[in-house]
Amino acid sequence: VVFSLLVLGSSSVLPTAKRYPSAHVLNVHERFFLIDCGEGTQHQMRKFRVPFNKITSIFISHLHGDHVFGLFGLISSLSMLGRTKSLTIYADKKLKDVLDSHFNFFDNRLTYDIIIEGLNPEKEEIIYTDKLLTVKSFPLKHRVPVWGFHFSEKKQPDKMKKEMIDFYKISIKDIQKIKEGEGFTTNEGTFIPHETLTIPSNKPRSFAYCTDTIFHPEAIPYIVDADLLYHEATFEEQHKQVAKETYHCTSKQAASMALNSNVKQLLLGHFSSRYKNMKKLLSEAREIFPETYTVEDGMLVEIKHGPSFAHTYFSEELNV
Ligand SMILES: [Zn+2]
């Protein structure tokens, strides 16, 4: 089952020729969740073939331009495309004023409703849940209120072994109970444990997203044991002081977050446009946390049940 992250933008404030500002799409079983929406997000969605009509909701980390300027164009385009289903945006509740004034000013009558769900600046909170997924927001620390997000699969019921159903002639009603964790007692009174009757379902996967933030170990409990952590790494270690002053992180600080929260793998993004390449930034992080990777626009990361994930680079040549 698909659980993957597509990077649409990996730059910080200023876009570069190769990197758009922050935007990501998390695909959970063909439900598409947009995480941040920097300028040009809809262009990147076209380029990397993200179906516009499948965006169910948008999660905005904070109200800085490089994370929200893409909303205006995308929201308009969704209306042009005739969307009728409401669109929920999880963000600082102040976003509502900005969107209202923008769309009123430009006389845009949208074909669908936008629902702004204000995030809690004080504490971790469950903000979204469906039968497959739970999403929590939690506070980080930046010059303005900012939230990280934690996406986790729900544990799915264990699968019945077919031969056991036949052998013990188990009824549909009992199958349901067994799937939920119970054992089974035969007519003769023999108890068959749950583990004998079922194949365990996969361990739920999780993805945590932290940007923009100063080094903030207080957030570790919210991201602990994630299969994949995306953490901002705006700066190299030589610019540690700038990182502190601007409430951002170095790649080493991001790596330390990954190490101390026991995540499996770390993705670094939100790079300062001052760096020509990310080699130094990456090697500095790997000194602390070897399972670290830097993102590129168009990079698809499949979050697997096993210890590793595949990287697929979308490109024009691949024609995907
Ligand atoms: Zn930013």
Side-chain angles (χ1 to χ4, degrees), residues 253-277:
Q253 290 171 328
S256 154
M257 289 294 288
L259 182 70
N260 291 309
S261 55
N262 192 39
V263 302
K264 286 207 190 89
Q265 279 159 322
L266 171 66
L267 286 183
L268 302 178
H270 196 268
F271 307 121
S272 165
S273 55
R274 75 187 67 198
Y275 307 124
K276 291 242 160 30
N277 68 63

Side-chain angles (χ1 to χ4, degrees), residues 11-13 22 62 64 66-67 142 211-212 248 270:
S11 183
S12 62
V13 192
S22 293
H62 65 298
H64 275 161
D66 56 326
H67 298 257
H142 199 46
T211 196
D212 297 356
H248 285 297
H270 196 268

Side-chain angles (χ1 to χ4, degrees), residues 192-222:
I192 318 293
H194 174 81
E195 291 69 27
T196 309
L197 301 165
T198 56
I199 304 158
S201 63
N202 285 320
K203 194 176 157 286
R205 293 164 289 185
S206 60
F207 167 64
Y209 179 84
C210 295
T211 196
D212 297 356
T213 186
I214 198 167
F215 181 54
H216 190 57
E218 289 85 344
I220 287 169
Y222 309 130

Side-chain angles (χ1 to χ4, degrees), residues 124-129 134-137:
E124 181 191 44
E125 212 168 68
I126 292 176
I127 53 174
Y128 174 88
T129 178
T134 302
V135 187
K136 290 177 184 171
S137 69

Side-chain angles (χ1 to χ4, degrees), residues 243-257:
K244 198 176 167 191
E245 285 160 10
T246 55
Y247 284 76
H248 285 297
C249 279
T250 65
S251 64
K252 273 197 162 184
Q253 290 171 328
S256 154
M257 289 294 288

Side-chain angles (χ1 to χ4, degrees), residues 91-107:
D92 188 323
K93 62 179 188 317
K94 286 194 272 180
L95 180 63
K96 191 177 179 343
D97 297 341
V98 181
L99 292 182
D100 284 349
S101 79
H102 176 94
F103 289 106
N104 286 332
F105 182 88
F106 289 105
D107 191 28

